[in-house]
């Protein structure tokens, strides 16, 4: 019969019936059900198998603290393991599978572990699987790996989108129960900007789970009306399905909004979840409390639940786990469940109250002073055995047992910044400690105020105090009268005679494990946690931590507060990794920067590579070319033979102006810039404060007070930041203004013997490009193509006669096309990063490979560039003796003795005949390529005293790559060492 | 007159416009930009020139002055961005240098930026998925620097209040456009 355990009433919408599947069976439920409530309604108590012992388990709670009923929800790529059935909103077509069992939930072969339990106690893996050592990797580990873990992943990419968002408010109210609603109402009506967040899809907290009367209406109706009132206020944002996962610095909270999890699939374009960063001036934590169980023999059978959960299921979800229910309690609250069940027509077979002075009732039988001695029913509770106060055992048949050991305020967020809660003897619970995270206050059950009246008034008071703090006048909303029952509890943590009793049900930690931990001297609460794994499962010990502490306290002869709590950390409940990433995954992990010629390059079929955030053309394959080397070699040969064009926009461009611009650059560069003539460019070397080379580039003097500085692509941002620091902190009195212009100008290198001829066709006629008028290292503002403003620099990275021409970026696309068209008569070739790199290695120019953060100007052969007639950053420190030893590394060229050999980067240079070790290491290769101009591989590298070892044959080794052959030390300037081509 | 044809930051020949719900995101192609940084000892004079240009006062920190044809927003201590219509002010940097002379350093910034105008009821919900600006508190005439999906941008609130102007680095125009349109689809 469908939904055989349905009751009347509840807050479910019977007009909407949903069909869903759990394991291989189909069931029906209604809108407003959770997966757990719908399963219970269908008479399903068995929902999972425990982690270690594979014991049959059922749902224990009605909230996010659930340890047992965790399932794999949804199918295919959206499948998510370890989803709590208690918080999964039912939707039509929902699919869920139980976890950690094979072949089925009812018959799980791994339950054999339960028989092996004496060998599987806490920490067993520290004492077993040791011998023989060889068996570990091939046998033990794979077996353990297969057996361990709870759910399984789909291993497919998550198809959903997640967003990250930012909200601002005066007051963040965390939790929408009576305390939170009263706080939000008070703050909202006073005009403050309020955010009210609750993890549930229905705001109201316990008001929706109890049968309270508030004033003239039911708790449920009051919650509903109040929520509607709040939602209608323009200054209040009500956020259901939103868990505040953590309290971070400065009043910032993380909140995960489940936008689409209650739908089969998210709507097109909508995210599955949003991670909100909430910037609050004040926050009021109204997170309520969680009921804790009592530990007794076989207390983990399906059907044994929190007493408050049983009445929640009855009141809100109109369902019961069984038609005959017993209660085991140590406080008055357990009796509330009995009363509510009786009102719903469920038989309460007995209330076993551990207190000798327990209250009696005419509606149900009370055994005062009794305790549970044993339970029966492997796949679902069938019977309990009660040790009677005057001796003897009474057997009671029942299908469910509600357990109430008291309530734990949800203090977690007050402790996220390494604070600790304090013990409250009267409540037998931890409550928030003295200092809170900045701006936070606590009210309601989270603060140990358990009555509804107490929650309402403390919520309103907290809001008034927060408003007053913010300089706002508080209006007192009218709050209804509500119950104000006192807490009546006698501590009772566990039945001492129990042999197998569960404390942490998700990680299968028993009371025996805790005693074992104490015996083996793991006594601090943090060691207890890690040795036993108590509190380390996905439920973070929400229903087990305190009982565990209490047992440890007893065994250790301490008080509970002396044992203390472990550190609380975000997130409050398990959070999808995807929501932390937001949109930043795959290619969107970081922004992409495209060069002005990108579109044109794509049309040419260019192959792109990432250079930092930039996409740069690596080579431009022509039809028929079989590999990148063919393209690269062609581009190199053609550029040196005639003319080539390369987009060099990505290199940093920094505009430096002001009366002291030259003096400023003189500080930043180690070589001299003060006397650079207008219309000239100079290569510059920038040192770090410690004397190491930071970056190199050029500075072009466009006017007395105007330089254009270039940097490497990779270091553009770093150099700009460095220059800002220098200006703001080191020489704030200098009159210099700096701003980036990297993106603003499209810049192309035009290189090769025909580069001047090509540029004559582009640059307007009034500008004299002859070698006399525009020599090597000249620069000027020019116009091109009939008047477009441009900048021309005669600099060369390739070693050829070369220029760089810059135009405002929007014209970059047109310029490359014009250059290619104009260059057709010269067989112009576009060249990419590979060819650029080959040419600069052939020429001996350093790049980031050589400027690797450990090299000095001296290493680079530029020692004399560090001017000693002026002070500049790094100059003094570069004089340290350690950086100037006789045998210091020097930049050299290397070529293989056997022309068929390569000279790979990263390989090391060893003295011939010596052992290959660090002591005999003479240096290393930094850059390598095949030189089509020379017909063999070449490289640049650092070699001790390299400048004095020209012609020496030395051994090149790379044990990693299996390289071991001879190379010859040569000048780093393989081609045109005199620079004749440059100066043509 | 030169004969080189410009292309837009998003690489197209036509202006890009995207609509979601009541909000439209349009690439603004007609903006010329130049930065103005006061030179040392000339801060007051520079500020006075800028005020004269805007027929009022230079923008204060976090503010923009939405004058016609030139508008300006604050970028840093004694530093501002000036914007005007590209059609009439392609040589904005040159025009400004003539006005400010030795009191300020001027750089052409036009093609360093892509400009998006986001207009319509709902821009606030979109921005809440983009950056940590308190967009609900942002007034007409506010201009501030922030990041959207790791891209440094300036956000200006224009008149009417449901008009936001977003300036981002031109080379990342595609990434910024993608971030904004995804947020529009998600929020609206």
């Amino acid at each position: 019969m469908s939904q055989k355990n349905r009751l009347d009433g509840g807050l479910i919408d019977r007009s909407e019936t949903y069909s869903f599947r759990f394991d291989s069976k189909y069931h029906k439920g209604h809108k407003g059900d959770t997966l757990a409530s719908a399963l219970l309604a269908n008479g399903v108590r068995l929902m999972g198998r425990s982690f270690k012992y594979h014991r049959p388990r059922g749902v224990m709670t009605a909230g996010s603290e659930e340890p047992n009923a965790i399932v794999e929800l949804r199918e295919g790529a959206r499948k998510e393991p370890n989803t709590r059935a208690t918080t999964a909103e039912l939707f039509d077509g929902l699919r869920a599978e139980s976890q950690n069992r094979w072949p089925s939930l009812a018959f799980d072969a791994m339950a054999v572990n339960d028989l092996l339990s004496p060998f599987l106690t806490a920490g067993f893996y520290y004492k077993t699987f040791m011998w023989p050592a060889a068996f570990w990797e091939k046998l033990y580990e794979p077996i353990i790996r297969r057996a361990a873990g709870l759910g399984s992943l789909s291993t497919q990419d998550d198809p959903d989108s997640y967003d990250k968002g930012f909200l601002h408010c005066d007051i963040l109210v965390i939790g929408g129960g009576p305390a939170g609603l009263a706080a939000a109402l008070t703050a909202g009506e006073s005009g403050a900007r309020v955010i009210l967040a609750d993890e549930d899809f229905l705001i109201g907290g316990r008001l929706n789970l109890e049968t309270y009367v508030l004033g003239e209406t039911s708790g449920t109706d009051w919650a509903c009306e109040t929520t509607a009132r709040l939602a209608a206020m323009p200054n209040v944002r009500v956020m259901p399905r939103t868990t505040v996962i953590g309290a971070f610095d400065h009043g910032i909270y993380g909140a995960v909004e489940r936008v689409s999890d209650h739908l089969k699939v998210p709507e097109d374009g909508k995210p599955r979840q949003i991670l909100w960063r909430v910037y609050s001036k004040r926050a009021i934590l109204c997170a309520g409390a969680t009921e804790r169980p009592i530990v007794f023999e076989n207390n983990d059978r399906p059907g044994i639940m929190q007493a408050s959960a049983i009445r929640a299921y009855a009141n809100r979800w109109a369902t019961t786990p069984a038609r005959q229910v017993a209660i085991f309690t140590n406080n008055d609250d357990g009796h509330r469940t009995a009363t509510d069940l009786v009102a719903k027509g469920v038989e309460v077979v007995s209330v076993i109250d551990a207190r000798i002075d327990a209250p009696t009732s005419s509606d149900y039988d009370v055994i005062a002073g009794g305790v549970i001695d044993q339970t029966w029913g492997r796949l679902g509770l069938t019977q309990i055995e009660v040790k009677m106060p005057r001796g003897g055992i009474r057997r009671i048949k029942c299908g469910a047992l509600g357990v109430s050991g008291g309530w734990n305020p949800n203090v977690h967020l007050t402790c996220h910044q390494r604070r600790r809660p304090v013990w409250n003897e009267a409540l037998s619970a931890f409550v928030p400690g003295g200092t809170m995270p900045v701006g936070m206050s606590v009210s309601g059950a989270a603060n140990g105020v358990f009555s509804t009246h107490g929650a309402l008034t403390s919520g309103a008071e907290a809001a008034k105090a927060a408003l007053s703090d913010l300089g706002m006048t508080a209006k007192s909303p009218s709050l209804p009268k509500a119950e104000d029952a006192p807490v009546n509890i006698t501590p009772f943590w566990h039945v001492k005679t129990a042999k197998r009793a569960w404390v942490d049900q998700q990680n299968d930690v028993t009371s025996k494990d805790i005693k074992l931990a104490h015996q083996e001297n793991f006594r601090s609460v943090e060691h207890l946690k890690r040795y036993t794994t108590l509190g380390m499962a996905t439920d973070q010990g929400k229903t087990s931590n305190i009982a565990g502490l209490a047992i440890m306290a007893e065994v250790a002869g301490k008080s509970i507060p002396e044992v203390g709590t472990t550190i609380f950390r975000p997130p409050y409940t398990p959070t999808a990794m995807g929501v932390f990433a937001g949109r930043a995954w795959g290619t969107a992990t970081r922004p992409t920067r495209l060069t002005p010629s990108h579109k044109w390059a794509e049309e040419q079929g260019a192959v792109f590579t990432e250079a930092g955030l930039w996409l740069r053309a690596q080579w431009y394959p022509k039809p028929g070319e079989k590999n990148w080397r063919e393209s690269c070699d062609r581009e190199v040969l053609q550029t040196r033979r005639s003319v080539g064009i390369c987009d060099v926009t990505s290199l940093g461009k920094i505009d430096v102006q002001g009366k002291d611009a030259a003096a400023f650059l003189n500080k930043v560069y180690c070589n001299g810039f003060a006397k650079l003539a207008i219309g000239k460019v100079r290569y510059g070397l920038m040192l770090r404060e410690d004397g190491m080379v930071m970056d190199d580039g050029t500075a072009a003097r466009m006017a007395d007070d105007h330089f254009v500085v270039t940097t490497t692509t990779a270091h553009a941002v770093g150099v700009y930041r460095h220059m800002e620091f220098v200006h703001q902190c080191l020489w704030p009195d200098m009159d210099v203004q700096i701003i980036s212009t990297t993106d603003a100008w499209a810049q192309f290198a035009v290189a090769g013997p025909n580069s001047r001829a090509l540029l004559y066709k582009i640059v307007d006629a009034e500008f004299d490009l002859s070698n006399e008028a525009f020599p090597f290292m000249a620069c000027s503002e020019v116009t091109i193509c009939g008047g477009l403003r441009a900048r021309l620099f005669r600099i060369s990275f390739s070693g050829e006669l070369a220029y760089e021409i810059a135009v405002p970026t929007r014209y970059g696309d047109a310029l490359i096309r014009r250059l290619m068209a104009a260059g057709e008569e010269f067989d112009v070739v576009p060249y990419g990063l590979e060819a650029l790199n080959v040419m600069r290695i052939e020429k001996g120019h350093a790049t980031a490979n050589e400027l690797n953060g450990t090299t000095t100007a001296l290493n680079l052969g530029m020692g004399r560039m560090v001017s000693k007639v002026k002070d500049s950053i790094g100059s003094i420190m570069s004089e340290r003796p350690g950086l100037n030893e006789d045998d210091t590394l020097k930049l050299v060229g290397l070529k293989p003795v056997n022309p068929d050999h390569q000279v790979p980067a990263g390989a090391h240079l060893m003295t011939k005949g010596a052992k290959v070790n660090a002591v005999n290491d003479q240096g290393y290769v930094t850059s390598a390529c095949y030189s089509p101009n020379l017909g063999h591989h070449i490289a640049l590298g650092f070699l001790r005293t390299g400048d004095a070892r020209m012609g020496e044959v030395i051994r090149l080794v790379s044990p990693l790559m299996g390289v071991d052959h001879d190379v010859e030390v040569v000048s780093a300037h393989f081609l045109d060492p005199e620079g004749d081509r440059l100066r043509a | 007159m030169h004969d080189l044809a410009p292309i837009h930051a998003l690489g197209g020949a036509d202006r890009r416009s995207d609509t979601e719900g009541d909000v439209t995101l349009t690439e603004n192609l007609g903006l010329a930009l130049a930065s103005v940084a006061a030179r040392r000892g000339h801060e007051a004079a520079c500020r006075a020139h800028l005020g004269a240009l805007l027929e009022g006062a230079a923008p204060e920190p976090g503010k923009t002055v939405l004058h016609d044809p030139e508008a300006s927003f604050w970028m840093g201590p004694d530093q501002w961005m000036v914007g005007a219509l590209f059609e009439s002010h392609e040589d904005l940097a040159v025009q400004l240098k003539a006005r400010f002379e030795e009191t300020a350093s001027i750089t052409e910034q036009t093609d360093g930026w892509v400009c998006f105008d986001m207009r319509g009821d709902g821009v606030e919900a979109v921005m809440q998925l983009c950056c940590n600006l308190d967009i609900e508190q942002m007034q007409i005439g506010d201009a501030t620097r922030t990041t959207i999906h790791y891209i440094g941008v300036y956000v200006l609130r224009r008149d009417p209040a449901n008009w936001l102007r977003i300036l981002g680095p031109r080379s990342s125009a595609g990434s910024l456009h993608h971030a904004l349109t995804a947020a529009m689809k998600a929020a609206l």
Side-chain angles (χ1 to χ4, degrees):
Chain A
M1 193 188 97
S2 173
Q3 303 194 64
K4 62 183 186 188
N5 277 342
R6 270 292 179 212
L7 305 171
D8 288 332
L11 302 177
I12 53 174
D13 182 355
R14 286 175 175 78
S15 70
E16 294 238 29
T17 302
Y18 295 152
S19 179
F20 69 98
R21 195 184 75 203
F22 177 60
D23 283 346
S24 51
K25 284 183 76 180
Y26 288 87
H27 302 282
K28 291 221 188 307
H30 296 292
K31 182 171 180 187
D33 263 325
T34 60
L35 174 60
S37 68
L39 285 171
L40 288 177
N42 282 277
V44 176
R45 286 179 304 169
L46 177 63
M47 296 188 195
R49 286 277 177 164
S50 73
F51 178 51
K52 209 174 12 174
Y53 302 119
H54 290 254
R55 286 169 68 88
R57 292 282 170 79
V59 65
M60 193 175 115
T61 73
S64 61
E65 68 270 26
E66 176 60 30
N68 287 335
I70 52 179
V71 303
E72 285 174 5
L73 193 68
R74 293 186 295 275
E75 297 173 302
R78 289 199 166 84
K79 182 173 80 159
E80 197 171 43
N82 300 338
T83 306
R84 286 148 291 160
T86 49
T87 55
E89 274 181 75
L90 195 71
F91 55 85
D92 194 40
L94 182 149
R95 299 280 181 268
E97 295 273 319
S98 58
Q99 302 183 154
N100 202 39
R101 79 295 182 271
W102 182 84
S104 73
L105 196 50
F107 178 76
D108 181 4
M110 289 299 284
V112 66
N113 283 2
D114 205 20
L115 300 173
L116 298 170
S117 63
F119 305 107
L120 297 175
T121 50
F124 75 91
Y125 34 78
Y126 299 121
K127 304 161 186 163
T128 51
F129 305 111
M130 304 278 197
W131 179 90
F135 276 28
W136 173 252
E137 201 177 317
K138 293 272 165 50
L139 185 66
Y140 297 145
E141 208 219 341
I143 291 176
I144 293 171
R145 201 172 272 285
R146 293 268 305 266
L150 283 168
S152 65
L153 297 172
S154 71
T155 70
Q156 297 175 53
D157 279 351
D158 185 341
D160 290 331
S161 303
Y162 298 79
D163 271 314
K164 307 264 275 278
F166 307 86
L167 295 173
H168 298 255
C169 62
D170 292 321
I171 298 178
L172 170 66
V173 178
I174 303 166
L181 285 170
L185 201 56
T186 307
E189 285 186 346
S190 306
R193 294 168 76 195
V194 179
I195 293 175
L196 171 65
D198 194 288
E199 60 180 359
D200 204 333
F201 52 97
L202 200 62
I203 307 269
R206 284 217 73 84
L207 293 176
N208 291 323
L209 309 174
E210 306 286 3
T211 50
Y212 297 147
V213 172
L214 264 62
E216 308 291 308
T217 85
S218 69
T220 301
D221 285 345
W222 187 83
C224 186
E225 281 156 22
T226 308
T227 305
R229 256 166 88 191
L230 288 166
M233 293 182 203
N235 54 318
V236 177
R237 183 179 184 128
V238 179
M239 301 182 74
R241 298 190 178 96
T242 303
T243 305
V244 177
I245 57 167
F248 300 97
D249 293 325
H250 315 305
I252 298 175
Y253 292 81
V256 176
E257 181 182 358
R258 287 178 296 286
V259 177
S260 310
D261 280 339
H262 60 291
L263 307 170
K264 198 148 183 226
V265 293
E267 276 174 52
D268 191 41
K270 300 287 178 238
R272 179 194 166 201
Q273 298 176 357
I274 303 175
L275 176 61
W276 294 103
R277 207 170 301 178
V278 181
Y279 295 79
S280 75
K281 295 197 178 116
R282 293 290 181 275
I284 306 173
L285 181 67
C286 307
T290 299
E291 193 173 42
R292 56 181 181 239
I294 300 171
V295 176
F296 52 88
E297 186 78 18
N298 285 319
N299 60 330
D300 66 328
R301 301 199 188 281
I304 301 179
M305 304 168 61
Q306 289 168 329
S308 63
I310 294 185
R311 74 172 181 269
Y313 283 116
N315 293 330
R316 176 169 167 183
W317 286 290
T319 180
T320 180
R323 290 287 168 179
Q324 291 176 310
V325 179
I327 308 286
F328 180 31
T329 182
N330 68 344
N331 68 90
D332 282 356
D333 202 66
H335 290 256
R336 195 187 286 284
T337 298
T339 312
D340 284 358
L341 286 177
V342 166
K344 287 276 188 176
V346 176
E347 187 187 347
V348 177
V349 295
S350 179
V351 171
I352 302 105
D353 194 321
R355 299 170 296 174
I356 270 296
D357 57 347
T360 57
S361 166
S362 50
D363 290 326
Y364 49 83
D365 179 54
V366 177
I367 303 175
V371 297
I372 306 282
D373 191 62
Q374 182 60 273
T375 71
W376 297 96
R378 204 174 63 84
L379 295 182
L381 186 69
T382 54
Q383 180 177 275
I384 56 174
E385 290 180 7
V386 180
K387 186 184 281 177
M388 301 301 285
R390 274 191 269 272
I393 299 282
R394 181 185 296 182
R395 290 183 183 78
I396 301 175
K397 281 197 185 338
C398 57
L401 173 66
V403 184
S404 180
W407 289 79
N408 294 326
N410 291 329
V411 303
H412 309 62
L413 261 64
T414 67
C415 298
H416 274 174
Q417 292 168 21
R418 289 191 90 96
R419 290 176 176 83
R420 306 291 179 147
V422 296
W423 182 251
N424 181 307
E425 198 63 47
L427 297 176
S428 264
F430 282 99
V431 296
T435 50
M436 299 285 129
V438 94
M440 184 194 279
S441 60
V442 194
S443 61
N447 207 21
V449 176
F450 288 157
S451 76
T452 312
H453 169 77
L456 291 169
T457 46
S458 67
E461 288 308 310
K464 284 197 206 126
L467 289 163
S468 169
D469 263 2
L470 296 174
M472 296 170 120
T473 338
K475 279 198 179 141
S476 289
S478 66
L479 294 173
K481 276 178 129 50
E483 64 83 26
D484 196 14
V487 175
N488 245 329
I489 182 170
T490 302
F492 188 87
W493 304 100
H494 66 128
V495 176
K496 293 194 201 352
T497 51
K499 294 196 185 49
R500 292 199 81 205
W502 270 262
V503 181
D504 182 330
Q505 294 204 19
Q506 193 169 124
N507 261 358
D508 262 346
V509 178
T510 61
S511 49
K512 186 167 154 215
D513 289 325
I514 295 168
K515 292 170 193 160
L516 183 68
H518 180 265
Q519 185 184 313
E520 299 196 359
N521 212 27
F522 292 97
R523 296 181 181 181
S524 103
V525 68
E526 298 282 3
H527 285 156
L528 163 67
K529 171 180 174 178
R530 285 152 182 84
Y531 191 64
T532 62
T533 74
L534 165 77
M536 292 179 70
T538 70
D539 64 331
Q540 298 160 298
K542 288 190 175 67
T543 52
S544 58
N545 280 337
I546 308 301
L549 298 182
I551 295 171
M552 174 56 99
E554 205 175 282
V555 163
K558 291 179 170 175
S559 71
I560 291 174
E562 274 179 297
V563 174
T565 55
T566 53
I567 291 180
F568 294 81
R569 298 183 178 89
Y572 176 65
T573 44
T575 303
M577 296 295 283
V579 84
F580 288 113
R583 300 271 173 178
W585 64 277
T587 51
T589 313
R590 58 220 181 293
T592 305
R593 296 174 81 171
L594 300 180
T595 64
S597 67
H598 188 86
K599 184 154 163 267
W600 174 85
E602 271 186 329
E603 291 166 16
Q604 311 314 306
V607 173
F608 293 95
T609 186
E610 290 171 14
L613 299 182
W614 294 92
L615 284 182
R616 298 187 70 181
Q618 224 177 345
W619 62 85
Y620 296 81
K622 276 198 137 66
E625 285 179 339
K626 285 193 240 56
N627 55 48
W628 69 270
R629 261 284 308 279
E630 287 188 31
S631 313
C632 175
D633 288 353
R634 172 181 51 77
E635 291 169 17
V636 170
L637 289 170
Q638 186 57 16
T639 300
R640 291 209 188 280
R641 189 179 300 140
S642 181
V643 61
I645 303 178
C646 182
D647 190 326
V648 296
T649 304
S650 65
L651 279 80
K653 306 174 202 65
I654 303 174
D655 196 273
V656 181
Q657 294 190 34
K659 235 169 38 0
D660 297 325
F664 178 79
L665 292 178
N666 233 17
K667 294 287 190 195
V668 167
Y669 285 119
C670 67
N671 53 321
F673 277 83
K675 301 216 191 71
L676 182 64
I678 295 170
K680 286 289 193 210
V681 190
R682 179 168 293 166
Y683 175 76
L685 204 60
M686 258 183 227
L687 305 185
R688 291 197 313 242
E689 281 187 0
D690 65 356
M692 299 298 179
V693 174
M694 185 175 72
D695 197 46
D696 68 347
T698 63
R701 193 166 202 165
M702 312 305 289
D704 190 57
D705 58 353
H706 185 195
F707 289 79
V708 177
V709 168
T710 70
T711 77
T712 60
T713 299
H715 289 142
V717 174
V719 168
Y720 180 61
R721 191 180 288 151
H722 170 71
M723 288 171 74
E724 275 288 352
F725 171 78
V726 171
H727 174 40
Q728 291 183 33
C729 303
L730 299 185
W731 288 288
D733 294 336
M734 279 195 168
D735 178 26
V736 61
Q737 295 76 42
I738 36 191
I739 193 166
S740 162
T741 52
T742 308
D743 275 23
W745 294 85
Q747 192 144 331
F748 297 96
V750 182
N754 283 321
S755 55
R756 181 184 288 119
L758 171 51
L759 284 173
Y760 267 130
K761 297 173 74 173
I762 304 290
V763 177
D764 291 333
E766 62 262 40
F767 299 99
D768 188 350
L769 296 183
S770 66
N771 197 24
E772 295 69 37
F774 205 75
F776 180 56
M777 299 307 268
C779 66
S780 177
E781 286 182 353
V782 299
T783 65
I784 65 168
C785 300
L788 176 64
R789 62 196 175 286
R791 289 169 173 172
L792 189 65
F793 309 88
R794 189 169 155 187
I795 48 181
S796 176
F797 197 45
S798 57
E800 294 302 312
L801 165 65
Y803 304 77
E804 289 190 12
I805 180 158
V807 292
T809 308
R810 68 179 62 201
Y811 300 108
D813 176 86
L815 180 57
I816 183 78
R817 293 176 198 272
R818 184 63 56 86
L819 285 166
M820 290 300 295
E824 238 184 271
E825 66 170 286
F826 307 113
D827 291 321
V828 66
V829 67
Y831 66 93
L833 281 189
E834 290 298 331
L836 180 139
N837 201 32
V838 168
M839 287 192 280
R840 70 97 187 164
I841 294 173
E842 286 177 335
K843 214 26 214 176
H845 285 152
T847 62
N849 293 6
E850 287 74 37
L851 276 50
N852 61 23
T854 70
T855 53
T856 62
L858 185 61
N859 297 143
L860 291 162
M862 299 182 197
R864 274 175 294 163
M865 270 182 78
V866 185
S867 168
K868 290 298 141 189
V869 302
K870 57 132 177 179
D871 181 34
S872 67
I873 295 171
S875 177
I876 297 290
M877 292 294 269
S878 74
E879 292 171 10
R880 287 182 286 162
L883 298 178
N884 293 281
E885 313 231 293
D886 287 333
D887 68 339
T888 196
L889 295 169
K890 292 286 171 63
L891 184 68
V892 295
L894 298 160
K895 66 178 208 188
V897 168
N898 176 340
D900 292 332
H901 282 157
Q902 295 190 17
V903 191
H908 282 253
L909 300 159
M910 295 284 155
T911 314
K912 272 183 80 76
K915 203 163 167 197
V916 175
N917 59 27
V919 172
N920 295 322
D921 189 353
Q922 297 282 301
Y924 56 96
V925 177
T926 53
S927 302
C929 69
Y930 176 80
S931 165
N933 288 291
L934 298 170
H936 57 80
H937 288 268
I938 57 173
L940 299 175
F942 291 105
L943 176 65
R944 296 210 171 281
T945 344
D947 51 343
R949 296 166 77 169
M950 293 293 132
E952 180 179 326
V953 172
I954 193 166
R955 185 179 175 196
L956 183 78
V957 296
S958 172
L960 274 178
M961 294 169 68
V963 164
D964 188 352
H965 52 246
D966 289 341
V967 293
E968 184 187 339
V969 181
V970 297
S971 159
H973 311 294
F974 293 89
L975 294 185
D976 187 36
E978 303 304 312
D980 294 330
R981 298 173 77 90
L982 274 177
R983 294 183 165 76
Chain B
M1 229 0 260
H2 72 82
D3 61 346
L4 293 173
I7 62 167
H8 312 317
L10 289 175
D14 293 318
R15 180 228 300 270
R16 184 70 190 259
S17 186
D18 298 89
T19 301
E20 204 66 47
D22 289 329
V23 173
T24 303
L25 183 75
T26 314
E27 189 187 349
N28 184 328
L29 305 172
L31 193 61
L33 295 166
S35 68
V36 175
R39 291 206 173 171
R40 199 163 162 73
H42 299 273
E43 292 85 353
C46 172
R47 193 180 281 268
H49 279 305
L50 185 55
L53 177 72
L54 301 172
E55 294 180 285
E60 290 304 308
K63 295 286 184 201
T64 177
V65 170
L66 300 168
H67 177 261
D68 226 350
E70 299 92 348
S72 176
F73 63 87
W74 184 90
M75 279 209 293
D78 300 305
Q79 188 170 359
W80 299 267
M81 188 76 88
V82 174
L85 280 178
F86 185 81
E87 255 173 15
S88 49
H89 290 70
E90 184 171 352
D91 62 343
L92 178 62
V94 171
Q95 290 184 29
L96 291 178
K97 189 64 185 173
R99 176 188 286 266
F100 286 82
E101 290 182 316
E102 79 284 359
T103 65
S105 294
I106 314 282
T107 61
E108 179 173 343
Q109 286 286 316
T110 303
D111 283 350
W113 301 88
V114 61
C115 177
F116 290 108
D117 284 322
M118 188 188 290
R119 305 187 69 152
D121 290 329
V123 295
E124 290 186 354
V126 177
M127 292 306 278
Q128 283 172 342
L129 293 182
C130 289
C131 62
N132 70 353
L133 281 185
D134 189 352
I135 196 72
E136 287 170 346
Q137 300 276 61
M138 196 180 189
Q139 305 299 310
I140 291 173
D142 283 348
T144 188
R145 187 174 168 160
T146 181
T147 54
I148 294 178
H149 289 212
Y150 308 107
I151 302 167
V153 298
Y154 284 99
V155 177
L156 285 64
R157 192 155 211 167
R158 294 190 63 113
D159 193 356
N162 64 359
W163 179 5
L164 297 176
R165 175 160 288 180
I166 299 157
L167 290 162
R170 187 192 171 105
S171 60
S172 293
S175 295
L176 180 57
H177 179 257
H178 179 78
L180 291 170
T181 50
M184 283 163 65
K185 284 197 183 68
L188 302 168

